[in-house]
Amino acid sequence: MKRNNSRSLHRSCGMAALLSICLVFVSLPALSQKKDDGVLDQQLQKILHKAGFTGRVESSLETRLQRKLNPQLADLGRLLFFDVAGGLHDDNTCAGCHSPSSGFGDTQSIAIGVQNNLIVGPNRSGPRNQRRTPSVVNTAFYPKLMWNGRFSSLSGDPFDNSQGFEFPLPEGTTRFPPNDPIVKQLLVAQAHIPPTELVEVAGFTGTAGTIGPRFDQFDDGLGGVVPLPDESGFRNEPIRQEVLKRLNGNAIYRKIFGALFPEVASGAPIDFTMFGRAIAEFEFTQVYANAPLDKFARGDTHAMVSTQKRGALIFFGKGQCSACHSVGGQANQMFSDFQMHNIGVPQIAPLFGVGLGNVIFDGPNEDEDFGLEQITGDSNDRYKFRSSPLRNAALQPAFFHNGAFTRIEDAIRHHLDVKESVNHYNAAEAGVDPDQTHRLAASGPMLESLDPLLGNPIRLSDQEFRNLVSFVRDALLDGRARKSHLCPLIPDSVPSGMPLLSFEGCSQR
Ligand code: HEC
Ligand code: HEC
């Protein structure tokens, strides 16, 4: 972190004879700096207060859950999170995409799920899905999950299920109805989903068996490959049953679940709600929302340096960032309004075919992602994605739903002049992996329906831009989301006895 100039000057004034002269040099700028900072601090405090930012969201977790976290349940969740036994082909699990080396988010621009090389990190390879894996850190506070917000708490509060949790079909609103006594938090519901995702975890034989033919067997006869139909609803439940069969067939899992759920101890099968509760409990322990800005808001004005403070003023002021990346009310201080917007992200797509990509993209050339429209079917919702919650974004190796940018500066600059950014976009220069540099969808229609908030360029001086970057990158980062803190969560072994995935960037025992 940058040091105050006056301080380093002070340090160089070692000789006693020079001390008095130094003091003159040091104290004058230091004094006015202090005064400036005082004004800056007051301005920022006022803005944060008005925006509803208290810096106390992390400590509200247990109050909002209305109970204490259960460390044993969380630890079971951690084992499941890392155990490839949850995937029907033993080659992927949550951590394969939500990696401890990048804040439990992706190591890739577009996620690689099943049929990967068992490596998690820059050298992961295998067919790509459609989107980048967001971090699970702090998701406990998200009222809407996913890039297009398709899993949501209808009350607008992830801790309040009085109106139920809405999921796309086949779950709809029926699986997690209002006031369910067990599935009370959105993440518990969400954890029912990934294991059924063919491209993410399950693999392509679905329920036909756990060994045998895979992805490439579902050849469309024209040289392409198609996943099983998603919307039919026939497959989610059978896949869950298959995963449960594995857990129930494992003595160690039965013992651990049994210690937490008395009915399992007395012979009942492990069910998927138990799986979901364990995973969610682990996710609840992964709340890292004590960044410099939080400390500042709680009164520690030294927690941020002045460049970050100035950047914050731009973020909440002339940059208009907080219009979408909001903090008050239902935003739960997560820097997202949890609404979907079209901000014109360049549409890169992987090559499609065996071993390259396994999701058919949208649009006539199958190289687009329609975002919210996929859920609503309304073409006005085309290209709309959820305002990304920005905490700990500095730890991401790529940005936006498709990782079209790999430098946070570029992601921020994109917002300031979207048309300029899109028209000059070059995937290779943006740093994305070579297999995603071949297909770039036409941007015309996307730019026509751009969110009006970003319709006109926002002009910032170089210094203002640097301040803004330093705010987003450093002042929203909680050091506990770094890999030095998350890699140690990789278990030494998992109950299935299957080998762990290999996490690059985490030195595994
Ligand atoms: C193939 C990679 C992959 C695997 C494996 C995977 N996820 Fe994800 N996860 C994603 C992607 C991609 C998204 C965003 C998908 C979208 O919006 O369309 C996501 C979204 C999420 C979200 C919502 C985050 C947010 O910001 O809204 C949570 C929570 C989550 N996953 C948890 C899990 C859990 C728990 C598991 C294991 C049971 C898991 N994931 C397995 C790729 C993966
Ligand atoms: C019109 C709403 C809107 C405004 C205004 C806005 N953003 Fe965003 N921002 C978004 C959306 C939507 C995304 C995700 C887009 C996607 O992935 O397709 C996003 C993504 C980002 C990301 C990437 C995060 C990630 O996880 O990939 C950063 C960084 C970011 N915004 C910073 C800013 C800054 C800084 C400003 C102010 C200059 C700003 N945004 C203004 C809506 C907005």
Side-chain angles (χ1 to χ4, degrees), residues 132 147 314-315 319-325 337 339-345 383-390 393 396 398-402 408 411-412 415-416 451-454 458 460 468 472:
R132 182 174 68 77
W147 285 108
I314 295 171
F315 188 91
Q320 295 183 39
C321 313
S322 58
C324 299
H325 298 285
D337 54 4
Q339 301 300 316
M340 319 302 136
H341 305 270
N342 171 8
I343 67 155
V345 172
Y383 312 123
K384 287 187 183 170
F385 294 89
R386 184 186 68 184
S387 304
S388 302
L390 296 180
Q396 296 173 196
F399 300 89
F400 297 136
H401 64 274
N402 55 8
I408 197 165
I412 294 176
H415 290 75
L416 300 177
D451 193 290
L453 270 172
L454 297 177
I458 296 167
L460 298 182
L468 177 61
V472 176

Side-chain angles (χ1 to χ4, degrees), residues 92-94 97-98 131 134 145-147 150 279 283 386:
N92 210 20
T93 178
C94 316
C97 300
H98 297 277
R131 294 177 185 145
L145 297 168
M146 304 291 155
W147 285 108
R150 67 187 181 277
I279 292 266
E283 290 169 329
R386 184 186 68 184

Side-chain angles (χ1 to χ4, degrees), residues 81 92-98 106 111-114 124 129 131-136 139 142 144-148 150 187 190-191 194-195 199-201 275 279 283 386 389:
F81 197 88
N92 210 20
T93 178
C94 316
C97 300
H98 297 277
D106 218 324
I112 295 171
V114 293
R124 184 173 178 81
N129 305 167
R131 294 177 185 145
R132 182 174 68 77
T133 313
S135 170
V136 295
T139 48
Y142 296 4
K144 283 192 185 138
L145 297 168
M146 304 291 155
W147 285 108
N148 51 16
R150 67 187 181 277
L187 281 180
Q190 194 275 334
V199 296
E200 288 192 355
V201 186
F275 176 94
I279 292 266
E283 290 169 329
R386 184 186 68 184

